[in-house]
Amino acid sequence: MIRSLLSGAAACAILAFGFSAQAETRVTYKSAKSTSSYYQMAVQISEAMKSGTDGDIIVTVEESQGSVQNVKEAGNRQGNYVFTTPPVLVKLAQGGKKMFENDSADYGKIRSLFVIPSLTMHFVVSEGSEVAEFSDLDGKDFVIGKGSFGAREAAKYFGMFGLEGKVNLVDAELNSAVPALKNGQVDGFATAGSYPAPNVIEAAAGSKIRLLSLSDEQVAQTKRTPLVIPAGTYPGVDYDVTTTSLPVGAYTTTAMDDATAYALTKTYWEGKAKMGGANPWWNGVAPEMLSSMAAKLHPGALKYYMEAGVQVADHLK
């Protein structure tokens, strides 16, 4: 457990970094689409930073079209730029691979700060669909959305599980999936987000749903990180659900000074419990998840973890 660092010694440490309580520091936090749970998280972080630093750090949340955009902007942004992305994209950017292959931006300056809730796959079906496992989706009408991580992941899983061409993928945006499910127009939908996911909660409100579990073999096929959504997370889903997840982290660049990185990291972890009281998705985040981060920790963030007694993997130092 992270120890509270509200002692006079910690205060001195902040001052030693040159972080002045009199100076207002502005930070840009590049998140996700405004309709997503990750945008809601960004707003919570913004509020926690303002409260936790008595207004010394002001975080402005910017909407984004996705993690690739966030990483690409990191190559050119100056100042206190924080962005969220799965670690795999940071690895690709720093390796100059795939969508970053022809970029001239300097991705080597990306640095890690802290982890946030993982992208968690949800396969939601109505109780009336009589679908209990993936093989039952044969011939069913299903929405996966377009262009998102969740859509790509769901399509990939259907191919792996022998369902390619057997599931009727409805040509519709994901935001229409919940009303379509409630009206009986589709049998289910797939979505990726932190749990509890707002659209899954909405689907479970006033109607009976099921969440499909992956077997150990199916999880292994996906090569993703296994995750268990606890029983009772969603109304009517009174059983544990085994699914997959993709770690997500908050990153910055070397353009951020040490004092700001230290204060951001410290305030985030000390405010996480309060944020979890408002939104349970924070309760699944722990310092042990830091090892999933893909870039070296910012020196300011590393100083906080060292003081807090958090074990830091060698590749982050």
Side-chain angles (χ1 to χ4, degrees):
M1 179 181 295
I2 294 184
R3 301 192 304 270
S4 173
L5 297 179
L6 294 177
S7 65
C12 291
I14 296 177
L15 292 175
F17 254 133
F19 188 80
S20 170
Q22 304 301 317
E24 181 182 276
T25 301
R26 293 194 169 270
V27 174
T28 298
Y29 189 106
K30 193 79 173 182
S31 179
K33 291 183 179 180
S34 60
T35 54
S36 74
S37 59
Y38 282 92
Y39 191 88
Q40 294 180 45
M41 290 178 209
V43 172
Q44 277 191 288
I45 288 176
S46 174
E47 294 170 347
M49 291 300 166
K50 183 177 181 180
S51 174
T53 64
D54 293 326
D56 291 336
I57 294 182
I58 301 298
V59 176
T60 300
V61 179
E62 282 188 1
E63 184 178 10
S64 165
Q65 295 307 303
S67 296
V68 172
Q69 177 191 355
N70 294 358
V71 177
K72 282 183 173 288
E73 288 194 20
N76 300 302
R77 286 274 190 137
Q78 300 298 316
N80 296 322
Y81 176 68
V82 175
F83 64 99
T84 60
T85 183
V88 64
L89 291 184
V90 174
K91 290 180 181 178
L92 290 175
Q94 293 188 330
K97 299 177 180 179
K98 294 192 177 181
M99 64 284 286
F100 305 100
E101 185 176 2
N102 298 314
D103 290 1
S104 59
D106 179 14
Y107 295 118
K109 66 182 184 180
I110 293 174
R111 294 293 181 268
S112 300
L113 288 175
F114 47 80
V115 288
I116 63 175
S118 301
L119 274 168
T120 303
M121 286 301 298
H122 294 70
F123 291 89
V124 186
V125 294
S126 65
E127 190 175 74
S129 68
E130 299 183 347
V131 174
E133 54 188 38
F134 278 90
S135 60
D136 297 332
L137 289 174
D138 190 347
K140 300 296 184 179
D141 297 323
F142 206 83
V143 177
I144 63 173
K146 303 173 183 177
S148 66
F149 167 79
R152 294 190 298 272
E153 201 78 349
K156 182 176 76 173
Y157 290 10
F158 290 160
M160 289 177 174
F161 304 162
L163 290 166
E164 187 172 3
K166 296 181 179 180
V167 182
N168 301 325
L169 297 181
V170 178
D171 185 18
E173 296 290 347
L174 189 58
N175 58 14
S176 66
V178 172
L181 183 77
K182 287 180 174 259
N183 294 332
Q185 296 171 296
V186 299
D187 298 295
F189 66 91
T191 185
S194 55
Y195 78 86
N199 53 351
V200 181
I201 293 174
E202 184 184 355
S207 60
K208 294 183 178 181
I209 65 165
R210 290 187 59 83
L211 291 181
L212 300 185
S213 273
L214 279 71
S215 67
D216 292 343
E217 293 75 16
Q218 288 172 327
V219 170
Q221 277 183 279
T222 69
K223 297 182 180 180
R224 294 295 188 196
T225 303
L227 182 145
V228 175
I229 301 174
T233 298
Y234 298 104
V237 183
D238 56 358
Y239 49 89
D240 289 347
V241 177
T242 300
T243 185
T244 59
S245 65
L246 183 67
V248 181
Y251 294 83
T252 187
T253 71
T254 53
M256 178 177 285
D257 63 76
D258 290 356
T260 301
Y262 178 92
L264 283 172
T265 307
K266 174 181 184 293
T267 306
Y268 169 76
W269 286 108
E270 292 184 350
K272 189 180 78 69
K274 184 177 180 180
M275 291 192 294
N279 288 98
W281 52 48
W282 295 108
N283 298 331
V285 178
E288 292 75 21
M289 298 165 65
L290 275 176
S291 60
S292 68
M293 302 288 276
K296 289 184 180 299
L297 284 164
H298 191 289
L302 179 60
K303 178 175 174 62
Y304 169 76
Y305 292 121
M306 294 293 96
E307 291 179 352
V310 176
Q311 285 194 335
V312 175
D314 290 341
H315 76 278
L316 297 176
K317 298 178 180 177

